[in-house]
Amino acid sequence: MTADTLSQHTLADALSVRGTGIHTGATATVRLRPAPTNFGRVFWIKGQSVPATAEYVVDTQRCTTLGNAQVRISTVEHLLSALFALEVDNVMIEVEGPELPILDGSAQPWVEAVMEAGIVPQSEPAPIFNLYTSLRVTMGKSVAECSPAPNLRLYVEFVSEDWPEGTASAELPLGCGHVALYKERVAPARTFAFRKEVEALLAAGLARGGTLENALLIDPPHCFSSPLRVEYEWVAHKLLDLIGDLALVGARFNAHIAVHRPGHTINTKLAQAIYRTIQAPYEGDITA
Protein backbone atom coordinates (compact mmCIF):
# COMPACT_ATOMS: atom_id res chain seq x y z
CA MET A 1 0.00 0.00 0.00
CA THR A 2 1.06 3.57 -0.64
CA ALA A 3 -0.16 6.84 0.85
CA ASP A 4 -2.91 8.73 -0.92
CA THR A 5 -4.58 11.97 0.06
CA LEU A 6 -7.84 11.46 -1.83
CA SER A 7 -10.84 11.56 0.48
CA GLN A 8 -14.19 9.87 0.24
CA HIS A 9 -17.00 12.21 -0.78
CA THR A 10 -20.70 12.62 -0.16
CA LEU A 11 -23.31 15.26 -0.90
CA ALA A 12 -23.31 18.55 1.00
CA ASP A 13 -27.11 18.56 1.00
CA ALA A 14 -30.03 16.39 -0.06
CA LEU A 15 -31.66 16.77 -3.47
CA SER A 16 -34.86 15.57 -5.11
CA VAL A 17 -35.62 14.84 -8.78
CA ARG A 18 -38.96 13.82 -10.29
CA GLY A 19 -39.69 12.60 -13.80
CA THR A 20 -40.91 9.84 -16.10
CA GLY A 21 -39.29 6.48 -16.71
CA ILE A 22 -38.41 5.88 -20.37
CA HIS A 23 -39.38 2.20 -20.39
CA THR A 24 -42.38 2.03 -18.06
CA GLY A 25 -43.72 5.54 -18.61
CA ALA A 26 -44.29 5.69 -14.84
CA THR A 27 -43.60 8.76 -12.74
CA ALA A 28 -40.78 8.40 -10.24
CA THR A 29 -39.31 10.53 -7.47
CA VAL A 30 -35.65 10.18 -6.51
CA ARG A 31 -34.14 11.67 -3.37
CA LEU A 32 -30.39 11.65 -2.87
CA ARG A 33 -29.19 12.09 0.70
CA PRO A 34 -25.70 12.46 2.22
CA ALA A 35 -24.30 9.26 3.71
CA PRO A 36 -21.44 8.44 6.11
CA THR A 37 -18.02 7.13 5.13
CA ASN A 38 -17.81 3.59 3.74
CA PHE A 39 -21.58 3.57 3.14
CA GLY A 40 -21.34 3.31 -0.63
CA ARG A 41 -24.01 4.17 -3.16
CA VAL A 42 -27.17 2.44 -1.95
CA PHE A 43 -30.73 2.44 -3.30
CA TRP A 44 -33.65 2.42 -0.87
CA ILE A 45 -36.87 1.06 -2.38
CA LYS A 46 -40.06 0.15 -0.49
CA GLY A 47 -38.16 -0.27 2.76
CA GLN A 48 -35.46 -2.43 1.14
CA SER A 49 -31.81 -1.50 0.63
CA VAL A 50 -30.16 -2.45 -2.66
CA PRO A 51 -26.45 -1.57 -2.85
CA ALA A 52 -25.34 -0.32 -6.25
CA THR A 53 -22.86 -3.15 -6.74
CA ALA A 54 -22.43 -5.78 -9.42
CA GLU A 55 -23.83 -8.65 -7.33
CA TYR A 56 -27.27 -7.00 -7.38
CA VAL A 57 -27.66 -6.88 -11.18
CA VAL A 58 -30.83 -8.78 -12.10
CA ASP A 59 -31.55 -7.66 -15.70
CA THR A 60 -29.77 -5.87 -18.56
CA GLN A 61 -32.44 -5.65 -21.28
CA ARG A 62 -32.11 -2.13 -22.73
CA CYS A 63 -31.08 -0.78 -19.30
CA THR A 64 -29.43 -1.92 -16.07
CA THR A 65 -31.76 -3.20 -13.36
CA LEU A 66 -30.73 -3.86 -9.77
CA GLY A 67 -32.69 -5.75 -7.16
CA ASN A 68 -33.10 -8.49 -4.61
CA ALA A 69 -35.82 -11.06 -3.93
CA GLN A 70 -38.32 -8.35 -2.95
CA VAL A 71 -37.67 -5.24 -5.06
CA ARG A 72 -36.19 -4.03 -8.35
CA ILE A 73 -35.14 -0.66 -9.72
CA SER A 74 -34.40 -0.08 -13.41
CA THR A 75 -32.48 2.43 -15.54
CA VAL A 76 -29.91 3.19 -12.86
CA GLU A 77 -27.01 3.74 -15.25
CA HIS A 78 -27.30 7.48 -15.95
CA LEU A 79 -27.42 8.49 -12.28
CA LEU A 80 -24.62 6.07 -11.38
CA SER A 81 -22.54 7.38 -14.28
CA ALA A 82 -22.79 10.91 -12.89
CA LEU A 83 -22.07 9.84 -9.30
CA PHE A 84 -19.06 7.72 -10.30
CA ALA A 85 -17.57 10.39 -12.57
CA LEU A 86 -18.09 13.09 -9.92
CA GLU A 87 -16.54 10.78 -7.29
CA VAL A 88 -19.54 10.77 -4.96
CA ASP A 89 -18.66 7.64 -3.00
CA ASN A 90 -21.39 7.62 -0.36
CA VAL A 91 -25.05 8.45 -0.97
CA MET A 92 -28.48 7.12 -0.07
CA ILE A 93 -30.73 6.99 -3.16
CA GLU A 94 -34.41 6.78 -2.20
CA VAL A 95 -36.69 5.88 -5.11
CA GLU A 96 -40.47 5.94 -5.40
CA GLY A 97 -41.29 4.23 -8.69
CA PRO A 98 -40.18 1.23 -10.78
CA GLU A 99 -37.33 2.98 -12.59
CA LEU A 100 -35.33 6.16 -12.41
CA PRO A 101 -36.62 9.08 -14.47
CA ILE A 102 -35.01 9.48 -17.86
CA LEU A 103 -35.07 13.31 -17.65
CA ASP A 104 -33.52 14.54 -20.94
CA GLY A 105 -31.99 11.14 -21.77
CA SER A 106 -28.48 12.02 -20.63
CA ALA A 107 -26.54 12.28 -17.37
CA GLN A 108 -26.36 16.06 -17.54
CA PRO A 109 -29.44 16.78 -15.35
CA TRP A 110 -28.03 14.46 -12.68
CA VAL A 111 -24.65 16.21 -12.86
CA GLU A 112 -26.33 19.61 -12.51
CA ALA A 113 -28.46 18.47 -9.56
CA VAL A 114 -25.49 16.96 -7.74
CA MET A 115 -23.31 20.02 -8.35
CA GLU A 116 -26.09 22.28 -7.06
CA ALA A 117 -26.42 20.18 -3.88
CA GLY A 118 -22.65 20.25 -3.50
CA ILE A 119 -19.98 17.58 -2.97
CA VAL A 120 -17.96 17.54 0.26
CA PRO A 121 -14.88 15.56 1.35
CA GLN A 122 -15.17 13.17 4.26
CA SER A 123 -12.87 12.18 7.09
CA GLU A 124 -11.58 8.90 5.63
CA PRO A 125 -9.52 8.20 2.49
CA ALA A 126 -11.11 6.55 -0.52
CA PRO A 127 -9.67 3.09 -1.24
CA ILE A 128 -8.41 2.91 -4.82
CA PHE A 129 -7.91 -0.61 -6.14
CA ASN A 130 -5.05 -1.41 -8.50
CA LEU A 131 -5.60 -4.54 -10.56
CA TYR A 132 -2.57 -6.71 -11.27
CA THR A 133 -4.24 -9.19 -13.58
CA SER A 134 -5.93 -8.71 -16.95
CA LEU A 135 -9.57 -9.63 -17.39
CA ARG A 136 -11.44 -10.47 -20.59
CA VAL A 137 -15.17 -11.01 -21.00
CA THR A 138 -16.86 -12.01 -24.26
CA MET A 139 -20.49 -12.33 -25.25
CA GLY A 140 -21.33 -12.94 -28.88
CA LYS A 141 -19.56 -10.25 -30.88
CA SER A 142 -18.98 -8.09 -27.79
CA VAL A 143 -15.59 -8.11 -26.06
CA ALA A 144 -14.61 -6.28 -22.88
CA GLU A 145 -11.00 -6.17 -21.71
CA CYS A 146 -9.49 -4.75 -18.55
CA SER A 147 -5.73 -4.39 -18.09
CA PRO A 148 -3.57 -3.08 -15.21
CA ALA A 149 -2.79 0.63 -15.36
CA PRO A 150 -1.84 3.49 -13.02
CA ASN A 151 -5.07 5.35 -13.76
CA LEU A 152 -8.58 4.76 -15.08
CA ARG A 153 -9.08 5.16 -18.82
CA LEU A 154 -12.05 3.93 -20.83
CA TYR A 155 -12.38 3.15 -24.53
CA VAL A 156 -15.50 2.03 -26.40
CA GLU A 157 -15.97 1.02 -30.02
CA PHE A 158 -19.45 1.16 -31.52
CA VAL A 159 -19.93 -1.00 -34.61
CA SER A 160 -22.96 -1.20 -36.91
CA GLU A 161 -23.10 -3.33 -40.04
CA ASP A 162 -26.38 -1.67 -41.06
CA TRP A 163 -24.98 1.82 -40.54
CA PRO A 164 -21.26 1.85 -41.37
CA GLU A 165 -21.18 5.66 -41.13
CA GLY A 166 -22.04 5.31 -37.44
CA THR A 167 -19.12 3.06 -36.57
CA ALA A 168 -16.84 5.06 -34.29
CA SER A 169 -14.94 5.01 -31.01
CA ALA A 170 -14.56 7.22 -27.96
CA GLU A 171 -12.02 7.40 -25.15
CA LEU A 172 -12.02 9.13 -21.77
CA PRO A 173 -9.79 9.29 -18.70
CA LEU A 174 -11.63 9.29 -15.38
CA GLY A 175 -10.65 10.22 -11.85
CA CYS A 176 -9.18 13.25 -10.17
CA GLY A 177 -8.63 16.09 -12.62
CA HIS A 178 -10.84 14.73 -15.39
CA VAL A 179 -14.33 15.71 -14.23
CA ALA A 180 -14.47 18.59 -16.72
CA LEU A 181 -13.90 16.20 -19.62
CA TYR A 182 -16.78 14.01 -18.48
CA LYS A 183 -19.08 17.04 -18.14
CA GLU A 184 -18.13 18.31 -21.60
CA ARG A 185 -17.82 15.16 -23.71
CA VAL A 186 -20.00 12.52 -22.08
CA ALA A 187 -22.65 13.79 -19.68
CA PRO A 188 -24.72 15.64 -22.38
CA ALA A 189 -24.98 12.55 -24.65
CA ARG A 190 -28.58 11.28 -24.86
CA THR A 191 -29.89 7.77 -25.04
CA PHE A 192 -30.69 6.85 -28.63
CA ALA A 193 -32.71 4.48 -30.75
CA PHE A 194 -32.91 3.70 -34.44
CA ARG A 195 -36.21 4.58 -36.02
CA LYS A 196 -36.74 1.00 -37.17
CA GLU A 197 -36.30 -0.21 -33.57
CA VAL A 198 -39.03 1.93 -32.05
CA GLU A 199 -41.99 -0.25 -33.05
CA ALA A 200 -40.22 -3.36 -31.73
CA LEU A 201 -39.47 -1.61 -28.44
CA LEU A 202 -43.11 -0.59 -28.00
CA ALA A 203 -44.28 -4.12 -28.85
CA ALA A 204 -41.93 -5.44 -26.14
CA GLY A 205 -43.53 -3.10 -23.60
CA LEU A 206 -40.51 -0.81 -23.55
CA ALA A 207 -39.98 2.88 -24.35
CA ARG A 208 -43.45 3.85 -23.05
CA GLY A 209 -42.00 7.08 -21.74
CA GLY A 210 -39.74 7.78 -24.71
CA THR A 211 -40.16 11.09 -26.55
CA LEU A 212 -38.10 13.27 -28.83
CA GLU A 213 -37.36 15.37 -25.73
CA ASN A 214 -35.55 12.54 -23.94
CA ALA A 215 -34.00 10.48 -26.73
CA LEU A 216 -32.07 10.88 -29.95
CA LEU A 217 -33.82 9.11 -32.82
CA ILE A 218 -31.50 8.02 -35.61
CA ASP A 219 -32.60 7.28 -39.17
CA PRO A 220 -29.43 6.23 -41.01
CA PRO A 221 -27.37 7.33 -42.68
CA HIS A 222 -27.52 11.01 -41.77
CA CYS A 223 -30.90 11.86 -40.25
CA PHE A 224 -31.20 12.71 -36.55
CA SER A 225 -34.31 13.84 -34.67
CA SER A 226 -32.43 16.87 -33.29
CA PRO A 227 -28.96 18.42 -33.58
CA LEU A 228 -26.20 16.40 -31.95
CA ARG A 229 -25.01 17.73 -28.60
CA VAL A 230 -21.52 16.24 -28.89
CA GLU A 231 -19.54 14.64 -31.70
CA TYR A 232 -20.71 11.06 -32.35
CA GLU A 233 -23.29 11.46 -29.61
CA TRP A 234 -24.44 7.84 -29.84
CA VAL A 235 -20.92 6.61 -29.11
CA ALA A 236 -20.51 9.11 -26.27
CA HIS A 237 -23.71 7.73 -24.76
CA LYS A 238 -22.29 4.22 -24.92
CA LEU A 239 -19.35 5.57 -22.92
CA LEU A 240 -21.76 7.22 -20.47
CA ASP A 241 -23.56 3.89 -19.96
CA LEU A 242 -20.27 2.03 -19.50
CA ILE A 243 -19.25 4.44 -16.74
CA GLY A 244 -22.60 3.91 -15.01
CA ASP A 245 -22.26 0.14 -15.24
CA LEU A 246 -18.66 0.22 -13.99
CA ALA A 247 -19.87 2.19 -10.97
CA LEU A 248 -21.25 -1.19 -9.88
CA VAL A 249 -17.70 -2.23 -9.01
CA GLY A 250 -18.59 -0.26 -5.89
CA ALA A 251 -15.18 1.34 -5.44
CA ARG A 252 -12.65 3.51 -7.19
CA PHE A 253 -10.13 1.52 -9.20
CA ASN A 254 -7.34 1.93 -11.72
CA ALA A 255 -7.34 0.08 -15.04
CA HIS A 256 -7.46 0.55 -18.77
CA ILE A 257 -10.75 -0.74 -20.11
CA ALA A 258 -11.68 -1.33 -23.75
CA VAL A 259 -15.12 -2.55 -24.82
CA HIS A 260 -15.87 -3.57 -28.40
CA ARG A 261 -19.63 -3.39 -29.07
CA PRO A 262 -20.57 -2.17 -25.59
CA GLY A 263 -23.96 -2.83 -24.03
CA HIS A 264 -25.37 -3.25 -20.55
CA THR A 265 -24.92 -7.03 -20.53
CA ILE A 266 -21.23 -7.06 -21.46
CA ASN A 267 -20.60 -3.94 -19.33
CA THR A 268 -22.09 -5.45 -16.18
CA LYS A 269 -20.37 -8.78 -16.76
CA LEU A 270 -17.07 -6.90 -16.79
CA ALA A 271 -18.10 -4.99 -13.65
CA GLN A 272 -18.90 -8.31 -11.98
CA ALA A 273 -15.50 -9.72 -12.95
CA ILE A 274 -13.69 -6.66 -11.54
CA TYR A 275 -15.88 -6.74 -8.43
CA ARG A 276 -14.99 -10.39 -7.78
CA THR A 277 -11.31 -9.67 -8.31
CA ILE A 278 -11.11 -6.82 -5.81
CA GLN A 279 -13.17 -8.77 -3.29
CA ALA A 280 -10.59 -11.59 -3.33
CA PRO A 281 -7.79 -10.82 -0.82
CA TYR A 282 -4.59 -9.60 -2.46
CA GLU A 283 -5.71 -10.38 -6.01
CA GLY A 284 -6.01 -6.63 -6.28
CA ASP A 285 -3.93 -4.20 -4.24
CA ILE A 286 -5.33 -1.09 -2.59
CA THR A 287 -4.01 2.44 -2.55
CA ALA A 288 -5.39 4.22 0.49
Side-chain angles (χ1 to χ4, degrees):
M1 296 185 184
T2 57
D4 197 314
T5 58
L6 293 178
S7 299
Q8 294 181 40
H9 294 92
T10 190
L11 299 177
D13 201 358
L15 66 92
S16 180
V17 174
R18 184 176 175 85
T20 301
I22 191 170
H23 297 301
T24 62
T27 299
T29 300
V30 183
R31 298 179 182 89
L32 274 61
R33 302 187 186 279
T37 56
N38 304 313
F39 183 84
R41 294 178 284 266
V42 179
F43 287 92
W44 184 259
I45 312 140
K46 297 180 180 179
Q48 296 277 328
S49 66
V50 179
T53 55
E55 60 184 329
Y56 288 91
V57 174
V58 293
D59 194 7
T60 53
Q61 183 187 18
R62 301 297 301 192
C63 67
T64 298
T65 300
L66 304 179
N68 56 30
Q70 287 77 40
V71 295
R72 289 187 172 202
I73 183 65
S74 299
T75 322
V76 300
E77 59 270 13
H78 297 174
L79 170 59
L80 292 180
S81 180
L83 293 174
F84 189 57
L86 296 176
E87 297 185 330
V88 178
D89 305 286
N90 304 301
V91 59
M92 171 68 82
I93 308 165
E94 301 173 358
V95 184
E96 296 176 12
E99 69 172 319
L100 269 63
I102 191 63
L103 305 177
D104 73 348
S106 76
Q108 189 165 329
W110 293 115
V111 169
E112 293 171 352
V114 168
M115 296 303 295
E116 184 176 353
I119 303 171
V120 293
Q122 296 179 281
S123 60
E124 295 188 36
I128 304 175
F129 290 85
N130 296 301
L131 303 182
Y132 290 104
T133 183
S134 295
L135 301 171
R136 190 172 192 266
V137 179
T138 62
M139 185 175 179
K141 294 182 178 180
S142 296
V143 180
E145 298 179 309
C146 175
S147 57
N151 49 41
L152 181 57
R153 181 175 290 272
L154 310 177
Y155 171 87
V156 296
E157 185 177 16
F158 177 86
V159 179
S160 174
E161 287 85 359
D162 297 333
W163 183 37
E165 298 88 351
T167 296
S169 62
E171 187 173 11
L172 187 80
L174 269 186
C176 185
H178 299 298
V179 172
L181 288 177
Y182 174 83
K183 290 180 181 178
E184 176 187 347
R185 300 180 185 178
V186 176
R190 295 161 292 175
T191 191
F192 66 92
F194 294 102
R195 187 176 296 275
K196 66 180 182 180
E197 291 180 322
V198 173
E199 289 186 5
L201 289 172
L202 294 173
L206 300 173
R208 294 177 181 176
T211 70
L212 295 181
E213 281 69 50
N214 59 32
L216 175 68
L217 197 62
I218 303 175
D219 191 6
H222 301 297
C223 185
F224 304 100
S225 57
S226 59
L228 299 182
R229 292 180 173 183
V230 295
E231 187 178 17
Y232 295 106
E233 185 172 353
W234 57 96
V235 186
H237 189 81
K238 288 292 187 179
L239 189 54
L240 184 158
D241 281 346
L242 174 62
I243 294 167
D245 290 334
L246 289 175
L248 299 173
V249 171
R252 303 189 199 185
F253 65 96
N254 292 324
H256 283 186
I257 290 174
V259 185
H260 175 74
R261 296 179 182 267
H264 293 300
T265 302
I266 191 74
N267 295 350
T268 55
K269 285 185 179 297
L270 178 62
Q272 289 166 343
I274 299 171
Y275 178 84
R276 289 191 297 267
T277 298
I278 67 175
Q279 292 298 312
Y282 306 109
E283 287 189 23
D285 194 12
I286 304 175
T287 298

